[in-house]
Amino acid sequence: MFISRLVAFASVVLSAIVNVAALPVPEADHALAQRGLTPFEPIQAYVKRAGPVNTIPEEDPTKAPNGVIELYQRDELSTRDAKINTIPEEAPTKAPQAPNGVLEVYSRDELIKRDNINTIPEETPTQAPNGVIEVYKGA
């Protein structure tokens, strides 16, 4: 019984000594106070660069051939505008000369002359055995 109390007392004393040893040494605070404050130097990656600022409005077309932002010249815009598709989205178009990329509107006569237009109602079952759509006749 005496030894178990002695072991319990020794463990309490040992834990108190360990906690006291973990406290900071007062001399470290004194040394820090003597060293003084130093100016804060930010990391260079976060420093704002002093350089040219883009002041061109967002709506204006620009280019940066050598890393310098500049406006497109009017002659560059006019040659580019000639290639823009101005045909309404609803109008059927064709590009007979595909490499040139020139779009043309189908004429009404060309639409009527086409013989492969599906005129069967959507609800009617159909089949196309040889690529020609016809009404499904059942088995």
Side-chain angles (χ1 to χ4, degrees):
M1 174 112 172
F2 177 73
I3 294 192
S4 64
R5 286 186 182 177
L6 183 63
V7 170
F9 179 71
S11 64
V12 169
V13 170
L14 183 63
S15 65
I17 291 172
V18 169
N19 285 334
V20 170
L23 291 176
V25 180
E27 293 178 13
D29 290 337
H30 181 64
L32 185 63
Q34 284 181 349
R35 187 172 67 182
L37 299 175
T38 57
F40 173 70
E41 295 294 330
I43 299 171
Q44 289 300 317
Y46 298 120
V47 176
K48 185 175 181 181
R49 290 183 286 163
V53 178
N54 181 5
T55 57
I56 300 172
E58 183 178 343
E59 300 81 23
D60 294 345
T62 58
K63 63 180 180 178
N66 295 320
V68 179
I69 299 173
E70 58 186 40
L71 289 170
Y72 271 110
Q73 300 301 320
R74 192 67 195 148
D75 56 341
E76 293 174 3
L77 286 175
S78 62
T79 57
R80 186 191 60 159
D81 288 342
K83 297 177 184 176
I84 293 177
N85 178 11
T86 57
I87 301 172
E89 183 178 349
E90 300 80 23
T93 58
K94 64 179 179 178
Q97 299 157 347
N100 296 341
V102 178
L103 290 176
E104 297 176 3
V105 178
Y106 271 115
S107 67
R108 185 76 181 142
D109 296 335
E110 290 176 347
L111 287 173
I112 293 172
K113 287 180 187 176
R114 291 180 54 184
D115 58 350
N116 61 352
I117 296 176
N118 180 7
T119 57
I120 302 172
E122 182 178 339
E123 301 81 22
T124 307
T126 58
Q127 63 183 5
N130 297 320
V132 179
I133 300 175
E134 56 187 41
V135 177
Y136 181 71
K137 297 177 183 161

